[in-house]
Amino acid sequence: MNTIADELTSHRFFAGLDAAHLEVLTGCARNVVIAKGASIIREGAHADAFWAVRSGRIALGVTAPGRGMLTIDTLHADDVLGWAWLFPPYRWHFDADALDEVHAVTFDAVCLRGKCAADPALGFDLAQRVAAILGDRLNAARMRLLDLYGSPQPG
Amino acid sequence: MTPVSHRVVGRRVETADVVTLQLEATDGSRLRYAAGQFNMLYAYAVGEVAISISANPLGGGPIAHTVRNVGSVSRALCGLQIGDTLGLRGPFGSDWGLDSAAGGDLVIVAGGIGLAPLRSVITQVIAERDRFGTVEIVIGTRTPEELAFKAEVESWRARSDLSVHVTVDRATPGWRGTVGVVTTVLPRVHCDPAAIALVCGPEVMMRFTALALMERGMPASRIRVSMERNMQCAIAQCGHCQLGSVFVCADGPVFTWERLEPLLAVRQL
Amino acid sequence: MAGPSGTTLALDGDGLETVIAAVRQRGYTVIAPTVRDGAVAYEPITSAAALPRGVGDEQGPARYRLRERDDDALFGFAAAPSSWKRYLYPPATTLWRARRDEHGTLLFDESAAAVPRYAFLGVRACELAAILVHDRVFAGAAHPDPTYAARRRELFIIAVHCGSPSGVCFCTSMGTGPRAREGFDLGITELLDTATPRYIVEAGSPAGLELLESLAASPATVQDLEAAQAVTDVATEHMGRHLETGGLPEMLQRNLEHPQWDDVAARCLSCGNCTMACPTCFCSDDVEAQAPDGETSARVREWASCFSHDFSYIHGGTVRETVRSRYRQWMTHKLGTWWEQFGTSGCVGCGRCIAWCPVGIDITEEAAAIRASDGRGRGSA
């Protein structure tokens, strides 16, 4: 049985993280299994956690009247779910549902924010990793704005 | 070069604006071609347009072209019905070079209607599956409705010897698959630096895809892309498809990214 | 100086007439310079009387004028506005025709136009070089163009070594003239050292030799040969333009973003005159021409220009949207990428693009301006 620290070390989000920092983080973490179809977060709710996905897929989206859940992004193994826990007012922007049974490591946000405040080096490292994810998501969103496949091709 | 009259023997509506035509020569001749090559298709009194072949070159059946209705000629072609005839010149251009990829892994990335010329290669790979290592297929479309070859994609997905990822830019209610551009899928696919990548889609999508593949450690020389330019004669004489010193119709349409990247880096070349 | 045969004749004006007659007798339509609408034009002729006697020209940027010479020279001018290319690569060619049979099935007929047998009289060295360039483009291709190949096969070329370069000429820079070295059947030098012009004629091919040997004329003397050589030696000294060709393709390649492209784009009208006048420009459109009765439809190849806005059209828009990119395409192709494609320069130094540019853009000056600040264009392709 892997420890949480082992699982985090092998997760892309935490790759290369300082061993001491990892030790601190595991203090806020626990393993979870989320049932297929379960709601993980809800738009507007308090952002009190984040998840490092180990397996299974998560749909991120909004629920529109009469149209159900409109997926805007999907998350997979090695992705993380949630960054709103890092910035006030700590509210989720979207819904997230498990598309499969999801195995993840979840972190308590209050605990994490406390550790970051106590150790600015850890806080900076974590903020950098979150910023990198936000950059990737922003680039991906921009590419979708380009409507790439809408443009022509000889076929 | 005079066209050969071909009869439509099969017609399938793929999406709202895409039709696949199956064609047989009225004189009984058979076209020999390689996956990735294209033909000039002629609609009577309208004109000609370059369309990639979307059928399996080893299949022995009718030749297939998947046409998107984007202009006067393609509109006329999309409107053809079984029994109608059209003109066909070809095949022209370079191919995906599948033989040189034998023995190794394949990463196939399609964007939108770019799946058509790759369907040719995918069906050939399935027919000769043991010649290749792992085969990853990443297909991006704007919406689930705009995915061409739906039934076939499902059959590919059902195979244990192919890894198929379909991702859409905009999910519709009920879509339970992946959402995001193709590049966001690439970090998750099996991608050995020694693999060969075959990429087809709109030019911007191919540029981002090549970048993402290189971030996965693939050298530009192992990434192959299929280019679009204005092709009229298809025999490197009309000049329209020039890109630097390259005639896309004859030197391409399939190029290595190594060859193409410096050319596409110059705006309006 | 002498052709491969070693046979070189000296003819007078009447002798030139016998050459024309001999060529015609062999079934050729003779195309030669004549004066039309205030310019020299290459047209069918039946007699030397149609040649432009005593006519010279003045050419400069956006300038072409005929002038009266003080002699009776028949070839006393430089490149005519329209090159020979229209005879081998016509401005419009029917490629094939489509029709329907009684069942509605499409049928295709290869265009079967009769092949004219042309004899070009008065081809300058630069123009001959242009024909040899087109040989590579059209006849040396994987799919040779049937119209060009057939007309070229039947072609008889009578070159006239140039003694009258104009202000826009730079064949010496391009290594193509003023003396034709290869590719002609007969080579003529016009000597103006006597009251009436004389013509030193050499054979450059077996067909040329056969024709030459059929003429009753005296062999050229050593002095004749020296005088003929002097004609082109003097012409070499009178080039109106110069183009530095050392490392030119590479120089252009590394300056694809040079500010000079913006400078020339501010002057260029993108009219395409240069491409029409150029003897090597070969771009074309394939267009559809339906017969008025609707019974047949033809695929027609027409001259096109890379300066047209929609030349590089792909669905969704035009690749070369700006004049800057279109001029750059034309010039870098002509002087640069042509080498990679066809193993030769696309420019032969005839200067037509300079004379016939309505705003007088000079390809030699543009290339020199880029070279003068080589490296300011950080292109990499």
Side-chain angles (χ1 to χ4, degrees), chain B residues 244-246 259, chain C residues 249 253 336-344:
Chain B
S245 65
V246 155
R259 178 83 182 91
Chain C
Q253 207 53 40
T337 52
W338 209 292
W339 280 100
E340 249 182 273
Q341 294 173 344
F342 302 109
T344 177

Side-chain angles (χ1 to χ4, degrees), chain C residues 134-194:
Chain C
H134 270 187
D135 284 352
R136 296 179 186 227
V137 174
F138 290 117
H143 300 272
D145 176 60
T147 300
Y148 182 91
R151 291 180 177 217
R152 184 65 175 93
R153 242 188 330 268
E154 297 298 328
L155 182 64
F156 191 87
I157 295 178
I158 306 171
V160 172
H161 305 302
C162 187
S164 51
S166 81
V168 296
C169 287
F170 55 104
C171 65
T172 51
S173 300
M174 305 317 292
T176 58
R179 175 164 292 278
R181 303 271 168 213
E182 56 166 347
F184 55 84
D185 295 292
L186 292 178
I188 296 182
T189 310
E190 184 174 49
L191 296 184
L192 301 169
D193 53 1
T194 48

Side-chain angles (χ1 to χ4, degrees), chain B residues 1-7 26 42-48 68 70-71 83 85-89 91-92 203 228-247 259 262-263 265-269, chain C residues 95-96 98-100 104-110 137-138 141 143-145 256-257 282-286 288 290 294-299 301 304 310-315 319-322 325 328-329 333 337 340-342 380-381:
Chain B
M1 202 176 169
T2 308
V4 174
S5 182
H6 277 65
R7 190 175 304 282
T26 55
Y42 170 78
Y44 180 73
V46 185
E48 280 190 309
R68 182 163 168 217
V70 292
T85 47
L86 52 73
L88 184 152
R89 291 193 291 136
F92 298 112
E203 189 171 313
E228 182 197 9
R229 278 296 181 267
N230 183 345
M231 300 183 206
Q232 296 194 5
C233 71
I235 53 174
Q237 282 172 13
C238 77
H240 284 270
C241 69
Q242 288 179 92
L243 177 64
S245 65
V246 155
F247 287 101
R259 178 83 182 91
L263 299 174
V266 183
R267 283 188 188 176
Q268 298 191 23
L269 189 65
Chain C
L95 300 173
W96 39 266
R99 61 187 165 87
R100 293 180 189 280
T105 299
L106 275 187
L107 300 174
F108 296 93
D109 303 312
E110 202 163 339
V137 174
F138 290 117
H143 300 272
D145 176 60
L256 293 175
E257 305 292 353
F282 60 83
C283 288
S284 60
D285 286 334
D286 281 1
E288 192 69 13
Q290 194 179 9
E295 293 298 310
T296 64
S297 194
R299 204 70 191 149
R301 180 184 66 188
D310 61 355
F311 182 81
S312 57
Y313 180 84
I314 53 177
H315 171 68
V319 176
R320 289 187 282 275
E321 182 65 34
T322 59
S325 67
R328 182 182 68 184
Q329 165 61 23
H333 185 215
T337 52
E340 249 182 273
Q341 294 173 344
F342 302 109
S380 61

Side-chain angles (χ1 to χ4, degrees), chain A residues 138-154:
Chain A
L138 177 62
N139 282 337
R142 284 172 168 169
M143 270 187 246
R144 279 157 68 184
L145 281 179
L146 289 173
D147 194 14
L148 290 185
Y149 320 118
S151 26
Q153 226 289 322

Side-chain angles (χ1 to χ4, degrees), chain B residues 119-243:
Chain B
R119 175 190 182 237
S120 188
V121 95
I122 292 167
T123 49
Q124 182 177 347
V125 165
I126 290 172
E128 309 179 294
R129 186 61 190 88
D130 52 1
R131 290 182 69 201
F132 303 94
T134 64
V135 177
E136 295 274 354
I137 301 170
V138 181
I139 302 167
T141 71
R142 188 198 262 169
T143 63
E145 285 72 29
E146 284 168 73
L147 174 66
F149 314 114
K150 283 189 189 71
E152 272 177 282
V153 171
E154 280 314 308
S155 74
W156 301 340
R157 215 203 271 274
R159 296 178 67 102
S160 58
D161 57 0
L162 299 176
S163 175
V164 180
H165 314 260
V166 177
T167 181
V168 302
D169 266 8
R170 270 180 275 149
T172 43
W175 172 253
R176 305 304 280 171
T178 302
V179 178
V181 286
V182 282
T183 51
T184 59
V185 176
L186 294 176
R188 294 196 305 276
V189 307
H190 177 79
C191 180
D192 191 278
I196 294 282
L198 310 177
V199 184
C200 188
E203 189 171 313
V204 182
M205 168 261 169
M206 294 197 291
R207 295 208 308 255
F208 286 126
T209 301
L211 272 177
L213 289 168
M214 289 198 289
E215 281 174 16
R216 290 295 312 271
M218 288 194 73
S221 60
R222 305 188 72 81
I223 301 170
R224 299 174 189 168
V225 306
S226 181
M227 277 298 292
E228 182 197 9
R229 278 296 181 267
N230 183 345
M231 300 183 206
Q232 296 194 5
C233 71
I235 53 174
Q237 282 172 13
C238 77
H240 284 270
C241 69
Q242 288 179 92
L243 177 64

Side-chain angles (χ1 to χ4, degrees), chain A residues 66-133:
Chain A
R67 301 175 66 193
M69 167 107 149
L70 291 175
T71 307
I72 51 163
D73 210 347
T74 43
L75 303 176
H76 303 72
D78 264 350
D79 286 334
V80 296
L81 167 65
W83 50 266
W85 61 274
L86 197 52
F87 309 104
Y90 312 123
R91 299 265 169 219
W92 296 125
H93 297 88
F94 296 106
D95 292 352
D97 290 359
L99 287 171
D100 310 308
E101 180 175 276
V102 171
H103 292 248
V105 177
T106 184
F107 295 83
D108 179 278
V110 176
C111 172
L112 266 189
R113 289 197 296 260
K115 305 276 191 199
C116 290
D119 183 351
L122 169 65
F124 180 66
D125 189 335
L126 216 49
Q128 265 197 316
R129 287 165 194 270
V130 172
I133 299 275

